[in-house]
Amino acid sequence: MALPPLVEPAAELSVDEIRRYSRHLIIPDVGMDGQKRLKNAKVLAVGAGGLGSPALLYLAAAGVGTLGIIDFDTVDESNLQRQVIHGVSDVGTPKAESAARSIAEINPLVNVVIHNTALDRDNVKEIFSQYDLIVDGTDNFATRYMVNDAAVLLGKPYVWGSIYRFDGQASVFWEEHGPCYRCLYPEPPPPGMVPSCAEGGVLGVLCASIGSIQVNEAIKLITGIGEPLVGRLMVYDALEMSYRKIKVRKDPNCALCGENPTVTDLLEDYEDFCGAVSVEAQEATAGSTITARELKDWQDSGKDIFLVDVREPAEWEINRIPGATLIPKGEILSGEALAKFPQDRQIVLHCKSGVRSAEALAALKTAGFKDAVHVQGGIVSWVNTVDPSLPSY
């Protein structure tokens, strides 16, 4: 459905702006009025990573007057495969600052506001209130639910995107005109069920595909043209090169925007709501967790260890801890691999960061391997504290 323009037009465009945006101005649906609305718009990008990179570049090029960037992370070498707003010289610098420099090169007429901080319960409302529209490029469920809840509570529209390997999704959530994110996903998935991009990977160019769709939707909302993806979920498969749209209806029983909402303010702890690991995993790791340094000490002392890497084969090819055996988490949870575990050796599990190994540990303990342990921080901790020569990812 068509919606009214989100913002009022600016008073005028300068001669430089008319020259710069001439290809917009000659489009009848955009024209001078639409470009003035873009100039007057204030858009916040949550994240300057995979989705935030192309979104920020094209929002700036389009002439959005004020661009906010919130990101507390620093540029890492592994980001450069997909986060095209950053370059080699930016490695080690704050992403928000790196992104701001790139935007200035593309369009110095844009006012950039840097929020070099983590978005959290204490600041999300104050930051969101400064903007007309939110573009969500986050990569974890806790932040996605917080972004949604804050946007609904403040009456702000936001453009959402998600990517994983070869698949992408995008939609527009605006409680005043349609469903919110909780209508689509009332509950987060069980911990460990949906790997992050850091664990499962993402095709770099997929970020551009979904990020550009997010910008397209933002421009439509700001200028009041076309039919935004309100009430529709766009699903993209890069391998099949297919797009399909799924209708999403407002849920009358939604905990946030339904007829009798039970969520009337931000949650106290979104990490707890989404569950970094399951309750079973938390219980299993209590008293059964060692550090990477302790694992190295065990190896050096000759302790009889059966070290198991529960990551996927593609990750195993990138790096591995010496002496480890690869048994993917899925084979442990299904019970398929339980016969491979000895009863007379110290079992030590590890993954990339400690989440998947915690879930696998819970399954092993249920199966009777009561003395099994896992490595806190996984191979990331091993690289940081034991062997920095190993490549990271």
Side-chain angles (χ1 to χ4, degrees):
M1 60 178 175
L3 295 174
L6 185 60
V7 298
E8 293 298 315
E12 60 181 6
L13 298 180
S14 68
V15 173
D16 288 341
E17 289 170 329
I18 291 173
R19 279 198 291 261
R20 176 179 286 269
Y21 307 126
S22 62
R23 297 304 186 272
H24 273 176
L25 300 180
I26 59 177
I27 302 174
D29 289 345
V30 180
M32 189 69 75
D33 182 77
Q35 194 63 48
K36 288 179 179 179
R37 293 183 192 277
L38 289 170
K39 179 180 179 178
N40 212 27
K42 298 178 181 179
V43 177
L44 175 69
V46 182
L51 291 175
S53 288
L56 284 164
L57 291 173
Y58 274 103
L59 286 167
V64 171
T66 299
L67 276 179
I69 310 169
I70 180 162
D71 200 311
F72 69 96
D73 201 4
T74 57
V75 180
D76 181 81
E77 195 173 32
S78 66
N79 300 149
L80 304 182
Q81 163 258 9
R82 64 201 178 283
Q83 299 180 17
V84 294
I85 204 166
H86 312 297
V88 174
S89 63
D90 299 314
V91 171
T93 64
K95 285 184 179 179
E97 295 177 13
S98 169
R101 287 193 296 269
S102 295
I103 290 170
E105 283 293 311
I106 290 173
N107 191 349
L109 303 178
V110 173
N111 174 41
V112 180
V113 181
I114 295 175
H115 303 276
N116 192 5
T117 184
L119 191 69
D120 58 33
R121 187 186 190 279
D122 295 328
N123 63 21
V124 62
K125 284 185 178 180
E126 188 273 329
I127 292 174
F128 278 19
S129 65
Q130 302 172 41
Y131 298 91
D132 304 305
L133 176 66
I134 315 299
V135 174
D136 181 15
T138 56
D139 62 356
N140 65 87
F141 287 101
T143 308
R144 286 174 186 167
Y145 278 97
M146 182 174 63
V147 167
N148 175 78
D149 294 358
V152 170
L153 292 169
L154 293 172
K156 303 280 184 180
Y158 76 101
V159 185
W160 170 79
S162 175
I163 50 176
Y164 177 68
R165 291 185 175 169
F166 300 99
D167 301 319
Q169 299 180 355
S171 189
V172 173
F173 296 110
W174 194 356
E175 186 270 337
E176 182 180 343
H177 299 283
C180 76
Y181 183 75
R182 284 179 182 264
C183 295
L184 178 62
Y185 297 115
E187 299 288 341
M193 176 174 286
V194 181
S196 68
C197 290
E199 295 175 328
V202 61
L203 187 69
V205 72
L206 182 68
C207 302
S209 299
I210 301 302
S212 62
I213 288 171
Q214 289 183 280
V215 175
N216 188 65
E217 293 304 303
I219 291 173
K220 287 156 61 179
L221 288 167
I222 292 166
T223 59
I225 63 176
E227 294 190 12
L229 283 173
V230 175
R232 294 180 295 164
L233 174 69
M234 195 225 64
V235 180
Y236 172 55
D237 184 329
L239 287 183
E240 295 292 332
M241 191 46 67
S242 65
Y243 291 87
R244 60 191 178 98
K245 284 181 287 188
I246 300 171
K247 187 170 290 187
V248 182
R249 301 187 184 279
K250 194 176 183 70
D251 183 2
N253 298 314
C254 176
L256 182 68
C257 71
E259 296 172 358
N260 298 292
T262 56
V263 177
T264 57
D265 199 354
L266 297 175
L267 303 183
E268 288 294 331
D269 191 334
Y270 282 89
E271 291 286 349
D272 183 61
F273 171 66
C274 293
V277 295
S278 66
V279 173
E280 293 78 9
Q282 292 177 33
E283 293 174 349
T285 57
S288 298
T289 300
I290 65 170
T291 65
R293 175 56 62 185
E294 286 175 310
L295 171 60
K296 184 65 167 64
D297 291 342
W298 282 7
Q299 289 179 324
D300 292 344
S301 68
K303 187 178 179 71
D304 191 12
I305 300 169
F306 185 58
L307 178 60
V308 177
D309 187 333
V310 305
R311 298 176 300 159
E312 296 300 311
E315 297 172 274
W316 170 264
E317 293 297 325
I318 297 172
N319 59 13
R320 65 192 72 167
I321 297 177
T325 298
L326 177 66
I327 305 178
K329 182 192 78 171
E331 296 180 15
I332 299 173
L333 298 188
S334 69
E336 175 186 348
L338 292 180
K340 298 178 181 179
F341 288 85
Q343 296 283 353
D344 57 349
R345 299 173 65 187
Q346 174 65 62
I347 296 171
V348 180
L349 307 178
H350 85 82
C351 61
K352 180 179 181 180
S353 63
V355 175
R356 284 174 286 176
S357 59
E359 299 293 340
L361 181 65
L364 278 186
K365 285 185 173 288
T366 299
F369 297 91
K370 302 299 184 183
D371 295 328
V373 299
H374 90 129
V375 180
Q376 182 180 23
I379 201 166
V380 170
S381 180
W382 180 273
V383 172
N384 289 337
T385 63
V386 177
D387 188 2
S389 67
L390 282 181
S392 59
Y393 66 101

